Amino acid sequence: MKKVITYGTFDLFHQGHANLLRRAKELGDYLIVGVTTDNFDIQRGKINTHDSLMTRIEAVRNSGYADQVILEEFNGQKISDIIRYNVDVFAIGSDWEGKFDYLKEYCQVVYLPRTEGVSSTMLRHKNPLRIGIVGTGNIAGRFADEARLVQHIELTAAYSTDENQCREFCSSKCIEVQAKSFEDLLGACDAVYVATPHFTHYDYVKRALLAGKHVLCETPFVLRTSEARELLDLASEKNLILMIAHKTAYCPAFSQLVFMVKSGVIGKVVDINASVTTITDENSEKMDVSKFGGSMNENACFPALPIVKMLGTDFRQINFYSIMKNGVDIYTKAVFRYDSATASFQVGLGAKTEGNMTISGTKGYIYVPAPWWKTDYFEMRFEDQNRNRKYFLPFDGEGLRYEIRDFAMTVSMLKDSVSSDSSSEESVHRSIITEDEIMAMTRIQENYINETNLFKLK
Ligand code: CTP
């Protein structure tokens, strides 16, 4: 029996895929199809896959050409599969011409003609999500650069109260519409990315939601729980996505770390410590008391995330110890008491600490080196050092591409569920940061503003 093998992502299964599988099958008697896993795709820089792995496998099966479907999980797996399944022919589309000649040592290699005029990329570009940006400072610049790497979205407009800055932003980031007002911006997009100083978030988010736009809002979201509740309720009432642009939450390594901790690999979590500090210019708005500056207001949302994700939202008490200067905290240490765990974080705009994170459990601990909020690597450590493990996952560029991709996918899943008229709960994609977590993180910020258990040091 002549065995043929081929590989692909097979996202949004199309005629080109069907033709390729038919041609591959015609080369022998038995066709094995390797479908790439989500993790492998992310590792090789393909972060835009629309369909889940199961959907892609089903599509390959339903084509009727595959006799066997396997998963492709790592670089170099092709050689091992060819040997293991005793494959005679490796077939792939002509867009890969020459790239797999190294397999000729193991079997025959055939490049099949590619079907013109169709590709998953092209299909993903259909009806892109049109995003408008409000606020055109540094973070918006990084967002625009990373957004280019995410398919299925288009940056259509930008607005800033600083007209000159906005003009420069639109021209350097190739954004067509320089909106004259926020309303003008709302008219030119389906979703808004709010990248303005945090004390303006409530107003912009509310206006965007009232205008029927999905929202991705920079951190910190808002500092008052009443505002957070109102905005979350408004989004749900209007069936819109409201997500927080907390880039750490969407990093592949951070998600894996949280799932591992939740599944008990280090036993019961007894303590978490994380720190985020940057030395900031004293004249910066971030240090301006009248603009709600200060280390807690600016940075607490970063270390608050792993704490509420892994220990839950039900903390009993937080003590804050702040070193103050000109009315703002240049450094704050927060200490949490849960029913059966503790946690702490340090944030600073005028002091520097090691920016790592440790999660301590009854069986071992996880160590994430600085800067932990750009997690791409962590270690699991035990009493018996032979059990220690290191985990590496991708974190490319500024890491914003993961949150942008998640936002685009969440909006698209919501649209799909609306268009298929499915009212079932399961059909709606859930945000990585849950409403309860958003509320808990806001409660931490609010406790601080209310000076609850705040000890001001000189
Ligand atoms: N293929 C093809 N003709 C097309 C598109 C894909 O023959 N028009 C082939 C590819 O050459 C490959 C297989 O189908 O052998 C799976 O390709 P995949 O990368 O999953 O599909 P693309 O549509 O090329 O996806 P993307 O646009 O994301 O690169």
Side-chain angles (χ1 to χ4, degrees), residues 3-21:
K3 282 190 176 177
V4 183
I5 198 162
T6 189
Y7 295 86
T9 304
F10 302 103
D11 189 27
L12 298 167
F13 198 89
H14 54 69
Q15 193 54 45
H17 295 141
N19 292 346
L20 186 284
L21 293 182

Side-chain angles (χ1 to χ4, degrees), residues 6-11 14 16-17 20 23 46 92-96 112-116 118-122 124:
T6 189
Y7 295 86
T9 304
F10 302 103
D11 189 27
H14 54 69
H17 295 141
L20 186 284
R23 288 174 187 144
K46 202 167 187 170
I92 196 102
S94 51
D95 46 324
W96 295 97
L112 292 165
R114 195 177 151 90
T115 306
E116 293 304 316
V118 63
S119 73
S120 305
T121 306
M122 198 186 280
R124 285 192 292 260

